[in-house]
Amino acid sequence: ASSPQALADLRRVVAIDPEHYQAWATLGGLFGQLRQPREALCAFREACRLRGEKHELWKSSAALAADLSMYSEAIFRGRRALETGGAPDPVLAAVLADAVVKDTRAADMTGARRLLPQLRTLLGLYTAAQPGAAQHWQTALYVERKCGGPAEAAPLLLGHLAALRASTEWTKDAAALDAVSEAAAQLVEARLDSGCEPGELKRLGATVDELVHAAAERLAATAGSEGLRMVQARLRRHLEDLD
């Protein structure tokens, strides 16, 4: 319960036994319920210090740090949550991405855009941990489209396409094929916008040809197959213009 008595009891416990990580964690949760995020974060910091292998503690403290605009600490704690066995946190990623894209002023009065390299690393770990989760790729692409450009977005699009091919039954499922088709279209768009070399475009063309052929075996009449054929035709026209 979030009563004054419970708060007093927990304060007494950590005063008597400052190595009691569960008391610190419970205290952090109680402060959170009382809408005292700074106190909550301080308590969770102690809990993390005492039991650094507990990914739940890192996750809770990362969310609190982000809420307090302590973006650098939030990225660090989000990464530690992942490294200690936790799952990627799409809500944390979205908050951090929005802060970096908008260059939100952090608690230390610096702009969040300076944390772009660290955020890229965290999002890369998220997509690697859950390659089939579209939301992680979408967040990473949002950041690159706003802070980078086609050259930075293209590798993400390529990775997303590869993840979809590996983790879904896109040759049998029409909805999964739609996702593959959209990812291929975005990849081709990014490659054309970045002005990549003809040889790279030809390799991309071979990949698209392979997608079209595989999709046609069972899903030739679907919107996803039609989308791939349109991507294929566009890329071929571009390559012909280069010859």
Side-chain angles (χ1 to χ4, degrees):
S2 55
S3 66
Q5 184 59 51
L7 190 61
D9 289 344
L10 285 168
R11 286 182 183 274
R12 189 177 305 111
V13 171
V14 297
I16 295 171
D17 183 6
E19 302 297 302
H20 197 311
Y21 92 92
Q22 289 178 321
W24 282 113
T26 305
L27 185 60
L30 184 54
F31 275 129
Q33 293 176 26
L34 294 172
R35 300 183 184 278
Q36 299 180 45
R38 291 186 182 278
E39 291 79 0
L41 179 57
C42 288
F44 274 113
R45 283 171 178 162
E46 285 300 306
C48 289
R49 180 183 64 81
L50 294 167
R51 288 293 186 275
E53 76 280 7
K54 300 286 187 180
H55 63 81
E56 301 92 342
L57 302 176
W58 292 107
K59 179 180 179 180
S60 296
S61 59
L64 286 164
D67 288 344
L68 290 165
S69 301
M70 297 178 180
Y71 301 120
S72 180
E73 181 173 349
I75 291 173
F76 166 74
R77 293 182 175 278
R79 182 167 179 171
R80 289 293 294 131
L82 197 64
E83 292 170 345
T84 51
D89 185 347
V91 175
L92 176 66
V95 170
L96 293 171
D98 203 47
V100 169
V101 166
K102 295 179 179 178
D103 200 19
T104 304
R105 189 178 297 278
D108 62 1
M109 304 305 289
T110 61
R113 182 66 64 89
R114 68 187 178 84
L115 300 173
L116 178 59
Q118 294 95 310
L119 178 60
R120 281 172 168 157
T121 298
L122 180 64
L123 295 177
L125 292 171
Y126 276 18
T127 55
Q130 293 181 337
Q135 54 195 339
H136 304 321
W137 294 102
Q138 290 167 357
T139 300
L141 285 168
Y142 165 66
V143 170
E144 293 306 340
R145 284 169 174 155
K146 296 295 185 179
C147 302
E152 289 77 17
L156 283 172
L157 291 165
L158 187 61
H160 186 204
L161 178 59
L164 288 171
R165 294 177 69 182
S167 63
T168 67
E169 295 189 337
W170 62 277
T171 59
K172 302 176 183 178
D173 181 75
L177 178 59
D178 287 344
V180 168
S181 177
E182 178 62 23
Q186 292 181 8
L187 175 59
V188 168
E189 183 77 24
R191 288 302 194 199
L192 294 179
D193 287 347
S194 65
C196 64
E197 295 295 323
E200 187 176 349
L201 287 178
K202 289 179 180 179
R203 289 190 293 274
L204 179 56
T207 297
V208 173
D209 291 345
E210 181 182 337
L211 294 174
V212 171
H213 177 74
E217 293 184 8
R218 298 188 183 185
L219 300 172
T222 63
S225 277
E226 177 60 25
L228 285 174
R229 289 192 291 269
M230 292 175 64
V231 172
Q232 182 185 50
R234 181 186 180 191
L235 196 50
R236 284 179 174 175
R237 285 195 302 270
H238 188 85
L239 288 170
E240 288 172 359
D241 291 341
L242 293 177
D243 292 336

